[in-house]
């Protein structure tokens, strides 16, 4: 079966395609621009978006909503991550952090997959911390300021590492297990 990933973000699609292809799952891009609902919950946002994508495409499709949640900023940018990336960028986030000692943060992703009338959600997080400076050229957006727990490099300095343990990788793993075990 072919499934579609509805997103306006090609970086997200390329990561998903690489991961799902290694598991024998064919994924196609559905260019989808949608004004997401406002909510503090990435699951809620993904669930609403997938219904809209499915109504347009009328095929099995998933969307995913991702946020960077920084403890010292009370979870900001969180579900406002796309907005903050455009308005502030990674350097703007570093400015907000100043010399804050508590740099704990996590990336969280929620995938919502719609097949027929059924919606399934798969969520995962990657714990880490915010670097003091932007570092690395690979990846996109906040990858240059996020260091996964237990490592010393940002995602942008070690894209191979990102693709083995990230929020997106882990949530795609759950999706792929569901697809394979249900023979979809
Ligand atoms: P779609 O909703 O169309 O899929 P988007 O870019 O708006 O694309 P999200 O709302 O899920 O996607 O993502 C919020 C923002 O968080 C995104 O625009 C990036 O700035 C950032 N982001 C998401 N995933 C990331 C990752 O793996 N590494 C670094 N930054 C990421």
């Amino acid at each position: 079966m072919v499934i579609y990933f509805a997103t306006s973000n090609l970086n997200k699609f390329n990561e998903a395609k690489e991961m799902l292809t290694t598991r024998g799952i064919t994924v196609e891009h559905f260019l989808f621009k949608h004004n997401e609902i406002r909510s503090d919950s990435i699951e809620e946002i993904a669930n609403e978006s997938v219904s809209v994508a499915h109504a347009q495409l009328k095929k099995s499709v998933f969307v995913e909503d991702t946020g960077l949640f920084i403890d010292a900023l009370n979870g900001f940018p969180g579900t406002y991550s796309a907005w903050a990336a455009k308005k502030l960028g990674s350097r703007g986030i570093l400015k907000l952090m100043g010399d804050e000692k508590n740099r704990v943060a996590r990336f969280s992703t929620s995938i919502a997959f719609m097949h027929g009338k059924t919606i399934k959600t798969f969520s995962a997080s990657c714990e880490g911390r915010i670097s003091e400076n932007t570092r690395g050229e690979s990846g996109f957006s906040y990858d240059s300021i996020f260091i996964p727990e237990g490592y010393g490099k940002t995602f942008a300095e070690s894209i191979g590492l990102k693709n083995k343990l990230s929020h997106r990788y882990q949530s795609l793993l759950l999706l792929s297990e569901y697809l394979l075990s249900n023979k979809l």
Side-chain angles (χ1 to χ4, degrees):
M1 186 181 88
V2 177
I3 57 165
Y4 288 80
F5 181 6
T7 178
S8 64
N9 185 329
L10 268 182
N11 293 297
K12 286 170 48 166
F13 174 73
N14 289 333
E15 284 184 12
K17 185 171 179 166
E18 186 181 323
M19 192 283 174
L20 292 173
T21 305
T22 61
R23 306 210 94 211
I25 296 162
T26 307
V27 60
E28 300 284 347
H29 183 209
F30 176 48
L31 180 60
F32 178 60
K33 292 188 180 161
H34 170 57
N35 284 329
E36 288 167 1
I37 55 163
R38 285 201 185 166
S39 164
D40 284 341
S41 156
I42 53 172
E43 285 87 358
E44 217 170 85
I45 294 172
N47 266 302
E48 190 272 343
S49 296
V50 82
S51 323
V52 178
H54 190 267
Q56 289 180 14
L57 185 66
K58 299 182 175 62
K59 289 179 181 159
S60 298
V61 62
F62 73 92
V63 303
E64 60 108 297
D65 197 55
T66 293
L68 175 65
F69 296 79
I70 302 176
D71 284 1
L73 302 180
N74 296 322
F76 185 80
T79 55
Y80 299 97
S81 290
W83 177 86
K86 275 191 214 104
K87 297 281 182 192
L88 307 173
S90 295
R91 286 193 173 81
I93 296 289
L94 290 182
K95 268 197 194 149
L96 284 181
M97 294 287 289
D99 52 12
E100 172 65 52
K101 293 274 175 299
N102 175 12
R103 306 194 76 87
V104 174
R106 71 203 50 77
F107 267 120
S108 296
T109 293
S110 190
I111 290 177
F113 171 64
M114 190 158 180
H115 174 63
K117 290 201 165 101
T118 310
I119 298 179
K120 292 271 172 198
T121 44
F122 306 94
S123 302
S125 294
C126 180
E127 294 291 326
R129 64 191 171 85
I130 302 298
S131 57
E132 270 76 21
N133 306 298
T134 58
R135 283 166 25 197
E137 302 298 327
S138 304
F140 64 101
S141 192
Y142 304 118
D143 282 342
S144 59
I145 59 167
F146 185 80
I147 302 171
E149 195 171 75
Y151 296 88
K153 289 184 173 173
T154 64
F155 274 162
E157 290 177 302
S158 180
I159 204 68
L161 182 67
K162 179 184 185 191
N163 291 333
K164 282 198 196 85
L165 53 75
S166 78
H167 45 298
R168 181 158 300 105
Y169 173 86
Q170 293 182 59
S171 56
L172 287 165
L173 196 59
L174 298 174
L175 170 69
S176 67
E177 277 162 7
Y178 174 80
L179 294 172
L180 296 173
S181 64
N182 288 284
K183 301 196 172 31
L184 292 175

